[in-house]
Amino acid sequence: MSEYDYDDLGLVAGLEIHQQLDTETKLFCACPTRLRDPEEASRTFTRYLHPTKSELGELDQAAVEESRVDREFEYLAYDTTCLVEEDDEPPGRVDEEAIETTLEIAQLMEMEPVDQAHVMRKIVVDGSNTTGFQRTMLAATDGVIETEEGNVGIEDLMLEEESAQRVEETDSGVRYSLDRLGIPLVEIGTRPDISSPEQARDAAEQIGMLLRSTGKVKRGLGTIRQDVNVSIAEGARVEIKGVQSLDDIDDIVRNEVGRQVELLDIAAELADRDAAVGDVRDVSEVFAETDSGVIGGALSGDGRAMAVPLFGFDGLVGREILPDRRLGTEFADHAKRHGAGGIFHTDELPAYGVTEAEVEDLRDAVGAGPEDAVALVADDPETAELAIEAVADRAEQALDGVPEETRGANEDGTTRYLRPLPGAARMYPETDVPSVDLDPSEVDPPELLTEKISRYQEEFGLDAALAEQVAYGHRMPLFEQAVEMGVDPTLAADTLESTMTELRRDDVPVENVTDEHFEELFALLVEDELAKEGIPELLTALAENPELSASEAAEQQDLGSAGEDEVREAVVDVVERNEEQIEAEGMGAFSALMGECMGALRGKADGDVVSDVLREEIQKRA
Amino acid sequence: MNEGDRVHVERGGQEFEGVLLPSSTPEQLVVKLESGYNVGIDREDATVDVLESDVYDIESAQDEDGQSSIEFEEGLPTISLISTGGTIASTVDYRTGAVTAQFDAEDVLRAVPDLAGRANYRGRVVANILSENMTPEVWQDLAHAIYEEIEAGADGVVVMHGTDTMQFSASAVAFMLDTPVPIVFTGSQRSADRPSSDNVMNAVCAVEAAKSDCAEVLVCMHASQSDDRCALHRGTRARKNHTSRRDAFETVGRRPLGTVEYATGDGDTDVSFRREYQRRGEADLDIAADLETDVELVKFTPGTGPAMLDAVADSEGIIIEGTGLGHVNTDWIGHIEELIDAGTDVVMTSQCLDGRVCDRVYDTGRDLLDAGVIEGEDMLPGTAKVKLMWALANTESTAETMRTPIAGEITDRSVSEAE
């Protein structure tokens, strides 16, 4: 794809960053914020959702479109979820830890909290919320972050509940898992101050660093999601949902600019050609005898083929607007939203078993000439009609250029149509939760990760690389906790970073080691019940048997820190076995015997202690 | 500056623009922003400019424009929808922030389009109150309204009612009316203003039950947490046994009388029954709506002295919710005897809820019987209270009436029912 002059095009981009908070309990109930395996579900139940009006009496367009598909939602419940997630109990008050963290984040971005945060219901009827809405509150506004290409304004900060995790499509709808529903989530919206793909990525990285500085955000895949809003001067605002990786942000922006440029180009071409969208017609007759498996299959029974003539569109429906995505793909996205499997259009026909003669008949049937295109949907009568109308509507929009819409990010950096942009009508107050007075004075500003790196070096004597590794690593809070407990900072950092990395390289399943394991391990170190030499072995044991506590694993592995008596006993044993060597070499035998002593004690004893005792015992005999 | 105005608010450098909404406290301005979010701003610190007056008419925003599109269809039964208020017919009151009832029966039809095509509807509003505010007087109005609807040709009646005291109203109607058609109470546990409300399925299932052959007073609510079927409970045996769950209602001691399988779209919604019931047309329509409302329900628990009874000493009737088989502290017995001698009817029920009162097993029980206490059989205490009100006003022998099943409130035989 060619590189554009973004200034020239008037690129305006904004980010919406969604970050899960690592609180003890969920936003509106006392359930833990723990993710579960769908197989661990203890119960399931099914529901339907129906769109409702806002307090101003309006229906949200996006919600209406979503609800056209009558779907049954199945929910997986766990022993870690409760009736609140199941929408069978009113929500509790807003979690205080989440509010505190939100205020910290507001402070880091120099934002002004609102006086009272009002919990709103944002209508979402795709089943991802059992209630049919997401609870969300505007907590702060008017902040700023710095990027290399200049400041980016932060428009707003929302505290909201995470949605349920989609597990899979079912025959009658969608299956969702309730474990994720209700985890506190902050949404940070930037102002549209971003003017290049690189700045978009830079801003996202900066926001990510600030969020992690609180030490209270979740880490790992899916815990942070980026939405990107993009428009160019002649184009339209498009919201792109669910960009999973920071690395994709600049590509997404670049591609969306390209898509809007192409769509504008197509619109200009259509204007030149005096193009128009004709009336939808039933063309089932044309395909009565068709050899096309797809169309024939759809027409068996009472299926219908519906077509719309696109006057002046010939060649443009097949025009590529994103890598491997054509204008026709956009039409197909809209048809799919209304239940159809896809569409056919004359720019790609004859093909798929559709003959040249059938294409000619199709053109005749809808009054289309050689400069025109025809789009076609074959399905059950209701779906075919809804889908072809949706295609016709989208084709109308092509005449004007770029439609405002919500799109979903694909893994390859392209995007697909999801739904219309939601409006204010999708919001109405959550009356079950009283508003929250926000008092920023109760919150201490957290230390930035960048500040932590310097402090770890100055205060704890970590080297720069290790300090950065710890500060940016997701076990940073554990590190601070360990130091607080009295563990040597370098040992704590090594344990959490280098040791874990080494073990991972040795294929030890270190992902099984929990925060609790580490807390127990550090406690054992502080109480001298574990020698630092025993750490790798203990972590390995815990990784392989995560159901054990650290002390249980230490006991099983016989890693209890040996007392001085035990050390001396072992050392004396070694020394007596090697009396000849000591007599011959004196202290020269130290290194060789030290290794043997440590081996005999199998990581149970601190090396310094062993070396002291060994030195004494050699001196006695030398 | 009025509610509904588009305003610009400045407060300490922060600026907001949006529609001014009603606020629950005078110290706070509530502004609905373009984004749809509401924010609260301390009024004292705020500078407000009105940009445009009356952008929204907050009061009438809830009102629908246009008329109901419901048309009469030949061949469909006529179902009368009677609204008394409650969650099923409720929406958010933006002044108090609470959920209140604002819909009439017509609104329910619009709110639940799935009802269309299942019947021809007559709408009627008897009250517009939350069910905790329900009174015996409203029960009487309700019974008269139902009577009139059936007399006017309704093939079934659906009563939309708050869930908190639905079982009391259903019991009252069951005692007051002889009915040749189904009378089905329904409500919702989740307000109608949320996409997940149980009102749609409950209303649809209630209408289907009202079209069925079971001419009894029923309560129709979710059978489980899923939107898959509703249970049909006999009004006099139903109890709200959970504060918030959709399937809060249970038939005490037995499985529900019937089930309505829910199907969306064109699927068949099937009504079935597990036990004998009174068939459509078996009874002639009749009403006996008089009530002696001077009846109290008293619960005995350890540590409660007989002085508790002084407060209700002048009542015409008292239901005691005793322990176990129907007991109270021995200290109560003398007081109870005095009340009975003074002309108060005293009926014993059990806080076990499930099972039959039997005051012939232990001395305490025998002493209570000697004192003149009436055994309430296996009646639910709440149902017994309503029945005593009715019995005192409509029958000769209160004691005999209280021990005789009138509307399915007493079962002849106590049986264990396998799931």
Side-chain angles (χ1 to χ4, degrees):
Chain A
M1 184 157 292
S2 53
E3 194 60 29
Y4 300 103
D5 183 333
Y6 296 105
D7 274 351
D8 238 32
L9 289 170
L11 168 63
V12 176
L15 294 171
E16 258 179 44
I17 309 276
H18 303 259
Q19 167 73 61
Q20 289 176 8
L21 301 186
D22 193 18
T23 49
E24 205 54 40
T25 59
K26 288 185 174 176
L27 193 53
F28 293 108
C29 68
C31 288
T33 59
R34 233 179 86 199
L35 294 186
R36 304 296 299 272
D37 192 312
E39 285 178 9
E40 297 172 325
S42 49
R43 256 162 2 90
T44 69
F45 59 94
T46 56
R47 296 274 169 78
Y48 299 94
L49 293 174
H50 321 271
T52 50
K53 293 189 170 68
S54 79
E55 78 268 41
L56 300 178
E58 295 161 347
L59 271 173
D60 178 52
Q61 215 31 57
V64 171
E65 184 169 319
E66 189 74 54
S67 70
R68 276 188 200 145
V69 197
D70 193 6
R71 287 184 297 176
E72 183 183 67
F73 304 113
E74 184 182 320
Y75 297 97
L76 304 180
Y78 303 84
D79 55 8
T80 49
T81 61
C82 73
L83 290 183
V84 172
E85 288 99 325
E86 295 175 20
D87 189 41
D88 250 340
E89 182 176 311
R93 287 173 187 273
V94 186
D95 183 68
E96 286 188 14
E97 191 185 359
I99 292 176
E100 260 173 50
T101 307
T102 304
L103 287 173
E104 273 184 39
I105 293 167
Q107 204 165 36
L108 287 175
M109 301 188 186
E110 296 170 39
M111 304 182 78
E112 187 68 32
V114 302
D115 292 327
Q116 290 94 23
H118 285 244
V119 183
M120 305 297 293
R121 298 169 170 180
K122 186 193 285 186
I123 296 291
V124 182
V125 289
D126 65 359
S128 58
N129 289 74
T130 45
T131 48
F133 50 75
Q134 177 189 33
R135 298 188 182 95
T136 173
M137 67 204 95
L138 176 60
T141 64
D142 296 315
V144 69
I145 56 161
E146 291 167 10
T147 72
E148 287 193 11
E149 291 177 53
N151 285 355
V152 172
I154 302 295
E155 185 141 359
D156 41 29
L157 169 64
M158 266 73 81
L159 174 59
E160 51 197 34
E161 57 183 356
E162 176 65 288
S163 58
Q165 173 79 48
R166 187 188 195 97
V167 179
E168 60 192 341
E169 297 276 333
T170 61
D171 291 344
S172 41
V174 186
R175 181 172 295 130
Y176 286 98
S177 178
L178 292 182
D179 52 345
R180 202 181 73 180
L181 179 62
I183 292 178
L185 187 73
V186 288
E187 178 187 313
I188 294 149
T190 72
R191 288 191 190 284
D193 292 346
I194 296 169
S195 50
S196 78
E198 294 72 27
Q199 193 183 14
R201 183 170 162 175
D202 189 9
E205 280 172 351
Q206 185 65 15
I207 292 170
M209 187 281 288
L210 292 172
L211 287 169
R212 291 200 300 279
S213 293
T214 63
K216 290 181 193 156
V217 299
K218 292 226 183 251
R219 309 289 295 265
L221 196 69
T223 58
I224 185 163
R225 295 192 296 276
Q226 293 92 8
D227 296 349
V228 187
N229 301 324
V230 183
S231 68
I232 57 174
E234 303 293 316
R237 197 169 85 90
V238 166
E239 242 180 67
I240 300 164
K241 293 280 177 197
V243 184
Q244 286 282 352
S245 159
L246 274 181
D247 302 339
D248 295 341
I249 286 184
D250 38 358
D251 282 344
I252 290 270
V253 174
R254 235 172 254 129
N255 278 333
E256 179 56 24
V257 170
R259 195 184 71 95
Q260 297 202 7
V261 168
E262 291 297 327
L263 286 175
L264 289 172
D265 201 45
I266 289 172
E269 177 78 36
L270 288 171
D272 280 352
R273 299 187 193 177
D274 224 358
V277 176
D279 293 331
V280 166
R281 306 259 173 84
D282 187 328
V283 295
S284 307
E285 291 295 305
V286 173
F287 297 98
E289 309 287 327
T290 189
D291 289 331
S292 160
V294 182
I295 298 179
L299 292 184
S300 63
D302 63 351
R304 311 301 298 169
M306 306 292 291
V308 61
L310 307 172
F311 302 115
F313 275 68
D314 183 56
L316 295 178
V317 183
R319 169 90 78 90
E320 195 168 81
I321 56 175
L322 277 171
D324 207 29
R325 290 180 62 91
R326 284 150 286 280
L327 180 60
T329 323
E330 300 280 305
F331 293 175
D333 282 347
H334 283 255
K336 285 176 188 166
R337 282 283 299 165
H338 292 79
I343 68 162
F344 292 99
H345 59 82
T346 46
D347 281 358
E348 56 175 11
L349 296 176
Y352 311 110
V354 177
T355 63
E356 182 99 47
E358 282 170 339
V359 175
E360 282 314 305
D361 290 349
L362 174 62
R363 287 184 186 274
D364 287 349
V366 296
E371 298 83 30
D372 308 327
V374 184
L376 170 77
V377 176
D379 215 305
D380 68 75
E382 202 187 337
T383 306
E385 191 158 331
L386 282 174
I388 198 71
E389 288 292 350
V391 171
D393 289 347
R394 179 62 188 84
E396 287 279 358
Q397 292 174 330
L399 302 173
D400 297 332
V402 187
E404 284 194 344
E405 63 195 28
T406 305
R407 301 179 66 82
N410 296 326
E411 281 183 12
D412 60 1
T414 64
T415 59
R416 67 194 181 279
Y417 170 76
L418 282 184
R419 52 183 176 262
L421 279 186
R426 74 196 287 222
M427 292 273 206
Y428 60 112
E430 168 56 285
T431 47
D432 295 346
V433 185
S435 62
V436 186
D437 287 334
L438 298 183
D439 186 355
S441 63
E442 288 171 8
V443 177
D444 293 328
E447 187 181 29
L448 294 186
L449 295 185
T450 41
E451 293 164 358
K452 278 186 198 297
I453 295 172
S454 321
R455 179 167 66 89
Y456 290 171
Q457 294 177 68
E458 286 156 24
E459 203 173 310
F460 302 142
L462 300 193
D463 67 48
L466 189 56
E468 186 176 334
Q469 206 181 353
V470 172
Y472 275 86
H474 67 277
R475 298 196 191 87
M476 177 270 287
L478 276 172
F479 168 75
E480 301 205 334
Q481 198 181 336
V483 173
E484 183 102 337
M485 289 165 73
V487 179
D488 173 67
T490 305
L491 176 60
D494 273 333
T495 304
L496 292 167
E497 297 302 332
S498 329
T499 307
M500 288 297 274
T501 308
E502 282 160 25
L503 292 176
R504 185 179 308 112
R505 285 190 192 131
D506 292 343
D507 289 331
V508 175
V510 287
E511 64 280 2
N512 292 338
V513 181
T514 64
D515 289 0
E516 288 74 35
H517 286 147
F518 277 112
E519 285 164 25
E520 292 163 6
L521 180 150
F522 290 131
L524 292 177
L525 279 176
V526 171
E527 288 154 25
D528 270 338
E529 284 171 28
L530 174 71
K532 62 176 185 288
E533 286 72 11
I535 292 174
E537 202 170 333
L538 180 58
L539 287 173
T540 307
L542 288 170
E544 282 161 2
N545 307 288
E547 71 284 356
L548 295 180
S549 71
S551 50
E552 284 165 349
E555 198 164 317
Q556 251 182 39
Q557 301 296 311
D558 199 16
L559 287 172
S561 179
E564 184 158 347
D565 290 349
E566 203 181 327
V567 171
R568 194 165 300 274
E569 202 178 309
V571 171
V572 168
D573 219 39
V574 170
V575 168
E576 285 175 353
R577 264 208 309 275
N578 297 285
E579 268 178 357
E580 287 176 17
Q581 189 182 353
I582 292 172
E583 274 170 33
E585 300 174 23
M587 266 302 160
F590 180 86
S591 309
L593 297 190
M594 180 69 193
E596 207 174 327
C597 289
M598 291 307 285
L601 284 160
R602 293 189 42 250
K604 275 168 28 177
D606 189 292
D608 294 343
V609 177
V610 178
S611 111
D612 288 350
V613 174
L614 178 60
R615 192 161 284 122
E616 275 176 44
E617 293 297 329
I618 294 177
Q619 269 162 4
K620 279 187 199 165
R621 289 166 179 76
Chain B
M1 169 178 68
N2 295 304
E3 288 154 10
D5 290 351
R6 174 171 292 287
V7 293
H8 178 270
V9 183
E10 198 190 331
R11 192 228 53 166
Q14 231 176 340
E15 295 182 43
F16 300 98
E17 211 173 294
V19 177
L20 195 66
L21 290 183
S23 171
S24 52
T25 68
E27 296 82 37
Q28 204 188 100
L29 295 169
V30 180
V31 177
K32 186 173 198 67
L33 309 179
E34 278 297 316
S35 61
Y37 280 92
N38 294 3
V39 290
I41 303 156
D42 291 339
R43 191 182 284 263
E44 214 172 285
D45 309 332
T47 317
V48 185
D49 292 318
V50 175
L51 301 175
E52 197 180 343
S53 290
D54 298 326
V55 179
Y56 280 103
D57 183 352
I58 302 289
E59 286 293 314
S60 65
Q62 296 292 333
D63 296 345
E64 294 291 329
D65 41 354
Q67 285 297 303
S68 149
S69 58
I70 288 146
E71 289 166 16
F72 184 83
E73 264 186 76
E74 205 69 50
L76 285 179
T78 299
I79 300 298
S80 178
L81 297 178
I82 298 181
S83 171
T84 67
T87 303
I88 192 166
S90 74
T91 184
V92 180
D93 182 326
Y94 291 95
R95 196 164 301 277
T96 62
V99 174
T100 56
Q102 297 189 330
F103 278 53
D104 60 18
E106 281 284 297
D107 287 321
V108 173
L109 286 187
R110 275 193 223 101
V112 188
D114 302 39
L115 288 177
R118 295 178 185 272
N120 292 311
Y121 297 100
R122 296 164 57 89
R124 181 160 179 162
V125 180
V126 169
N128 193 359
I129 51 176
L130 295 170
S131 75
E132 56 268 36
N133 297 329
M134 197 56 72
T135 60
E137 290 70 38
V138 183
W139 298 341
Q140 292 172 316
D141 293 346
L142 179 59
H144 284 293
I146 295 171
Y147 180 87
E148 287 165 20
E149 289 297 309
I150 298 173
E151 205 174 34
D155 297 306
V157 177
V158 171
V159 180
M160 280 163 292
H161 197 290
T163 53
D164 276 15
T165 67
M166 186 188 289
Q167 66 220 38
F168 291 87
S169 297
S171 295
V173 169
F175 292 124
M176 291 172 178
L177 287 178
D178 290 338
T179 178
V181 304
I183 299 170
V184 186
F185 281 70
T186 192
S188 77
Q189 286 281 80
R190 312 267 90 199
S191 58
D193 59 13
R194 55 173 66 209
S196 60
S197 175
D198 49 340
N199 70 338
V200 173
M201 179 175 119
N202 289 349
V204 166
C205 291
V207 164
E208 292 299 327
K211 285 158 63 181
S212 78
D213 192 38
C214 178
E216 295 201 25
V217 177
L218 302 169
V219 166
C220 175
M221 293 288 288
H222 267 58
S224 73
Q225 286 187 273
S226 289
D227 290 341
D228 54 359
R229 69 182 79 89
C230 274
L232 295 174
H233 310 277
R234 231 170 217 143
T236 51
R237 298 295 309 172
R239 193 167 192 279
K240 185 177 184 179
N241 276 345
H242 197 280
T243 56
S244 60
R245 270 168 66 154
R246 287 163 169 74
D247 55 349
F249 279 84
E250 292 175 344
T251 293
V252 174
R254 304 189 87 169
R255 300 183 69 195
L257 180 63
T259 303
V260 186
E261 295 288 339
Y262 177 61
T264 54
D266 302 331
D268 276 337
T269 304
D270 183 51
V271 186
S272 62
F273 294 92
R274 290 189 178 87
R275 293 188 295 276
E276 281 306 301
Y277 54 86
Q278 179 177 288
R279 312 244 155 204
R280 187 179 277 279
E282 268 177 23
D284 293 326
L285 180 65
D286 200 3
I287 184 165
D290 289 347
L291 291 177
E292 170 51 66
T293 57
D294 190 10
V295 171
E296 298 298 336
L297 171 58
V298 176
K299 183 166 189 160
F300 165 75
T301 49
T304 304
M308 168 81 129
L309 291 169
D310 295 347
V312 296
D314 297 329
S315 306
E316 290 297 316
I318 298 173
I319 304 291
I320 297 178
E321 199 176 310
T323 57
L325 285 165
H327 301 137
V328 290
N329 186 303
T330 317
D331 294 347
W332 281 44
I333 297 174
H335 282 69
I336 290 172
E337 189 163 13
E338 281 170 28
L339 293 181
I340 294 171
D341 289 347
T344 302
D345 284 296
V346 179
V347 179
M348 181 60 72
T349 60
S350 173
Q351 54 197 253
C352 294
L353 304 179
D354 196 355
R356 197 174 300 268
V357 164
C358 183
D359 278 318
R360 285 147 285 155
V361 179
Y362 296 98
D363 281 347
T364 307
R366 283 190 283 270
D367 292 344
L368 282 166
L369 288 181
D370 288 344
V373 165
I374 303 162
E375 289 172 300
E377 300 292 330
D378 64 347
M379 269 186 291
L380 292 167
T383 302
K385 180 184 176 185
V386 178
K387 185 178 179 185
L388 186 53
M389 287 183 179
W390 182 83
L392 285 167
N394 292 286
T395 64
E396 293 296 314
S397 167
T398 307
E400 195 187 320
T401 307
M402 289 307 288
R403 287 193 299 257
T404 312
I406 305 285
E409 76 282 10
I410 294 173
T411 50
D412 292 334
R413 298 159 50 240
S414 307
V415 291
S416 286
E417 203 179 52
E419 274 299 310

